[in-house]
C-alpha cells in the first residue's frame, strides 16, 4: 500500500514521470506500428521495404564490420546477404521490443529477434537469435525511421528439448 | 554557391535544422564531459566511478549474454571481469563518439574504442577494439547517465597485434 501511495504522489507531481501523456501514447503507438512494419519487411526479405524504414543517413553497426552509413551502404549490405545465400528464404521471424522512450522527434528501444532461414543446396536451416539497440527519428513527414541500429548475437536458449548435451 | 544558399534558407526557416541552438550546445558540451568521465573511469578500471555513470535501471547489451539491467547486474559483470583477469591493468584506452543527438532529457551517440590491457601471468596483452551505441538520460539532478548501452567487436586494423579476446 505504501508503494502504491508513493507512486500516486510521484505521478501527480511530475508530469512525464510515472504516467504517459496522450502525446506519448500516440508516439508509442506509431513506434509499435513501425516495429510491425520492420518485422514484416524482414520476414518477407523485402529490401525495398526495409530501406524505406531507414533515414537517408542512418548508421548500422554490425559486429566485425566498419560502420555503414546511408542507404547506398545499406543496400549493398542487403545485396551481399542475397549473394552469399542464394535461394535463402525466411521461414520465421519474431521480434519483441522493450523500453520505448520518446523525446520530441527522437526515440529509442531495444529488441530481441529470432529468425529461422531455410538455405538452398540441402544445407541445414540457420536458426539464430539477435538483439538490437535502435534510435529512431521522426521525419518532417511525421514518419519514424531508423537513425541508428546496432545488432549483436543473442545466446541460444539454454536447454533445447531432446538435447543430450545437458542431461 | 547554390548548395550554400539552400543551406542558409533551410537553417533560417527551420529552427533546429542545420544549426545548433545555445541549449543544444550546452547539452552537447555536457555529453562531451560525460564521455570524458566515462573514458576516464574505464581507463582507471574504476568500477565505482563507472557505476556512478549509469542510471539505476540502465540496460547493457553484450554479445552472447542475456541483457543486464540495473546496477546490481552491472556490478556483478565488472566483478566477473576482475575475477577472470586478476592483475589486469589498462595500458591505454581511447574512445571517440559521433552523431550526438539531444532531445529533451534523452540523447544518443555511437562511439568507437581501442583498449590495450596488460594481463598477469606472462600472457600477451589484450589489444581490442569495440564500438558502442548508447542512449543517455538526464536525471532530475541535471546529470547525464547511461540508460542503454550495446557493445560489439570492431574489426582490427589490417595487421592485428595480440589476442582477439575481449577481457
Amino acid at each position: 500500500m505504501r508503494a502504491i501511495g508513493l507512486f500516486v504522489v510521484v505521478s501527480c507531481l511530475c508530469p512525464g514521470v510515472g504516467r504517459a501523456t496522450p502525446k506519448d501514447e500516440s508516439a508509442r503507438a506509431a513506434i509499435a506500428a513501425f516495429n510491425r512494419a520492420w518485422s514484416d519487411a524482414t520476414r518477407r526479405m523485402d529490401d525495398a521495404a526495409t530501406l524505406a524504414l531507414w533515414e537517408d543517413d542512418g548508421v548500422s553497426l554490425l559486429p566485425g564490420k566498419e560502420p555503414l552509413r546511408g542507404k547506398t551502404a545499406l543496400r549493398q549490405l542487403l545485396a551481399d546477404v542475397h549473394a552469399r545465400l542464394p535461394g535463402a528464404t525466411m521461414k520465421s521471424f519474431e521480434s519483441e521490443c522493450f523500453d520505448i522512450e520518446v523525446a520530441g522527434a527522437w526515440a529509442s528501444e531495444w529488441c530481441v529477434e529470432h529468425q529461422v532461414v531455410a538455405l538452398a543446396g540441402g544445407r541445414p536451416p540457420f536458426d539464430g537469435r539477435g538483439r538490437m539497440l535502435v534510435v529512431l527519428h521522426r521525419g518532417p513527414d511525421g514518419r519514424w525511421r531508423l537513425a541508428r541500429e546496432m545488432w549483436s548475437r543473442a545466446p541460444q536458449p539454454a536447454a533445447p528439448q531432446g538435447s543430450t548435451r545437458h542431461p
Side-chain angles (χ1 to χ4, degrees), chain A:
Chain A
M1 284 302 289
R2 189 171 172 183
I4 292 171
L6 183 63
F7 174 78
V8 171
V9 170
V10 169
S11 64
C12 291
L13 293 178
C14 312
V17 175
R19 64 178 179 181
T21 64
K23 197 175 165 187
D24 285 345
E25 285 303 322
S26 163
R28 281 162 192 269
I31 289 169
F34 170 91
N35 289 338
R36 286 192 295 275
W38 189 21
S39 284
D40 288 347
T42 305
R43 196 174 289 119
R44 295 196 313 270
M45 297 178 80
D46 182 336
D47 294 357
T50 298
L51 288 168
L53 297 171
W54 277 87
E55 295 261 285
D56 285 343
D57 63 348
V59 173
S60 178
L61 303 168
L62 298 173
K65 281 185 180 290
E66 295 298 336
L68 300 171
R69 184 190 291 274
K71 293 202 179 187
T72 300
L74 295 167
R75 189 176 290 111
Q76 186 61 53
L77 171 74
L78 295 169
D80 289 347
V81 171
H82 290 299
R84 197 154 39 86
L85 300 171
T89 54
M90 190 72 76
K91 299 302 287 182
S92 68
F93 179 86
E94 301 301 330
S95 69
E96 190 176 4
C97 296
F98 307 92
D99 294 337
I100 296 172
E101 296 288 351
V102 184
W106 291 87
S108 66
E109 59 181 348
W110 62 275
C111 310
V112 296
E113 58 90 1
H114 176 207
Q115 57 185 283
V116 179
V117 182
L119 304 176
R123 296 158 66 188
F126 168 80
D127 182 331
R129 290 166 196 267
R131 61 173 72 98
M132 298 83 81
L133 179 59
V134 299
V135 177
L136 303 167
H137 183 236
R138 189 175 53 216
D141 61 356
R143 301 188 69 163
W144 289 95
R145 293 184 182 84
L146 288 160
R148 321 271 176 258
E149 176 211 34
M150 189 174 210
W151 180 96
S152 76
R153 189 176 307 283
Q156 289 285 352
Q161 220 166 15
S163 166
T164 55
R165 292 177 59 199
H166 306 284

